[in-house]
Amino acid sequence: MTITKPEEHTGHADLPEPDVKAGVVDLLERSGSVVVPIAIALYALLYLGIQQVYGIFDISPEQAGIDQATMFGRLVGTLVLLIIGGTLLAGVVVAVLWLLDKATLGRLFRLAQAVRTRPWAAAAAGALWCGASYWGFLGYLGLGEGASLAGIVITSVVIGALAFLVPFRLLRRRPTGRAGMKIVVAAFTGIGLGFALMGQMESDALAVAEKGRPASILLSMVGFQDQWVVLNDRESGKVLRGGVQVLLLGEREGAYALYDCAHQETFRISMEATVLRQVTLEPERPAGYSCMQQKN
């Protein structure tokens, strides 16, 4: 008598195990619920940041020839670079926490589990984190200048306790609520980081506009064009604006958009009547350089 194996009888020998598939799907859902809200919030605030950067030069990105498709490509590239850097930072943090957990004989992990299983403790941790994310917004408004670490902590605790503690505690009652709390915390993480980047972008753009300093790495990441030129009239060959270097912001509809740092003004000039000379991309400036020196 021939003995038939169960898998041969049913014909399902090559099917994957359900728990493996469920584990992969669960991992994607968990990571997506954190990464996607952060990326969306960062994209929206970086978009506003670019608008603010060109607003310092009294034009919009569209007037500099930057359409929506170009801006989308630049911001996606910026997000990729931020993800690469954030992944390295996250890996270091995880490694440090693992070492601390080993050094404390597992007490750190048990503490984290205890916080997670206690609704008020988990809600307080999430509320404190979201309160801290508001510091990026307050810093963007200029309200955080000169604040001490104690002031930052007190502000974060007050905002978290007033705005997030009770709602997060109510969300901890059900699994869907806990998932919603995770999304809210991730979104506010992206918002806080986005406002911090916006403030830094504006500060760096002001340094370019007022002093002619080189564009920062952050401005270069979002695609700001740090290119300086000298203008010549095409017909007469005369040097325009006394031969000072001007910042080429972009071009649109047959005209260059330029910024004269020495005279602190933005202007447009016809491409057909102008020749660009001494084109310099990301020029090296000496310490203490100011474009006002060219005017003198």
Side-chain angles (χ1 to χ4, degrees):
M1 182 176 65
T2 304
I3 299 177
T4 304
K5 295 182 180 181
E7 60 268 23
E8 294 176 349
H9 179 72
T10 58
H12 298 294
D14 297 332
L15 292 179
E17 297 181 7
D19 56 341
V20 175
K21 291 182 63 179
V24 173
V25 173
D26 183 64
L27 176 63
L28 292 175
E29 290 179 350
R30 288 174 179 271
S31 59
S33 65
V34 175
V35 175
V36 172
I38 293 176
I40 292 175
L42 274 176
Y43 180 88
L45 289 171
L46 287 175
Y47 180 88
L48 294 176
I50 291 180
Q51 299 282 345
Q52 296 293 332
V53 165
Y54 281 93
I56 290 175
F57 299 97
D58 297 322
I59 62 171
S60 65
E62 290 76 15
Q63 290 174 323
I66 303 174
D67 55 18
Q68 295 296 322
T70 303
M71 192 177 300
F72 176 78
R74 290 180 178 181
L75 291 182
V76 169
T78 303
L79 288 177
V80 170
L81 294 176
L82 289 175
I83 290 174
I84 292 174
T87 302
L88 290 176
L89 181 60
V92 173
V93 171
V94 170
V96 171
L97 292 177
W98 180 80
L99 290 174
L100 290 176
D101 182 62
K102 292 299 182 181
T104 57
L105 302 178
R107 292 188 181 89
L108 186 62
F109 175 76
R110 289 194 293 271
L111 176 62
Q113 288 296 105
V115 171
R116 184 179 180 183
T117 55
R118 287 172 172 78
W120 277 110
L128 180 61
W129 183 264
C130 289
S133 69
Y134 265 82
W135 194 254
F137 175 64
L138 297 176
Y140 174 74
L141 296 178
L143 301 178
E145 296 182 2
S148 62
L149 180 60
I152 296 175
V153 173
I154 293 173
T155 303
S156 302
V157 170
V158 171
I159 293 176
L162 293 178
F164 297 101
L165 182 58
V166 174
F168 282 174
R169 173 61 184 89
L170 297 176
L171 288 174
R172 298 297 298 179
R173 292 181 175 179
R174 296 185 179 182
T176 53
R178 291 192 289 271
M181 175 182 165
K182 184 189 299 182
I183 294 174
V184 171
V185 171
F188 272 91
T189 302
I191 290 172
L193 180 59
F195 272 114
L197 293 176
M198 278 182 63
Q200 188 61 48
M201 287 167 60
E202 285 198 39
S203 176
D204 296 340
L206 280 172
V208 176
E210 295 178 353
K211 302 293 184 179
R213 303 284 171 79
S216 64
I217 296 177
L218 180 58
L219 287 180
S220 299
M221 284 175 56
V222 297
F224 181 79
Q225 184 172 272
D226 186 23
Q227 190 173 47
W228 297 77
V229 299
V230 175
L231 303 177
N232 281 55
D233 183 74
R234 187 180 295 275
E235 291 186 2
S236 63
K238 292 183 178 180
V239 178
L240 304 178
R241 292 188 169 258
V244 300
Q245 282 190 322
V246 294
L247 176 64
L248 177 62
L249 296 171
E251 56 186 63
R252 185 185 180 190
E253 298 176 352
Y256 293 116
L258 300 150
Y259 177 76
D260 188 340
C261 180
H263 296 86
Q264 304 285 298
E265 62 177 346
T266 302
F267 63 97
R268 294 172 63 86
I269 193 168
S270 172
M271 298 172 62
E272 295 182 357
T274 311
V275 178
L276 303 183
R277 302 286 187 187
Q278 301 179 23
V279 180
T280 307
L281 182 63
E282 298 180 357
E284 296 183 2
R285 306 292 194 192
Y289 171 85
S290 174
C291 56
M292 301 301 293
Q293 297 170 356
Q294 298 187 71
K295 183 178 179 180
N296 298 333

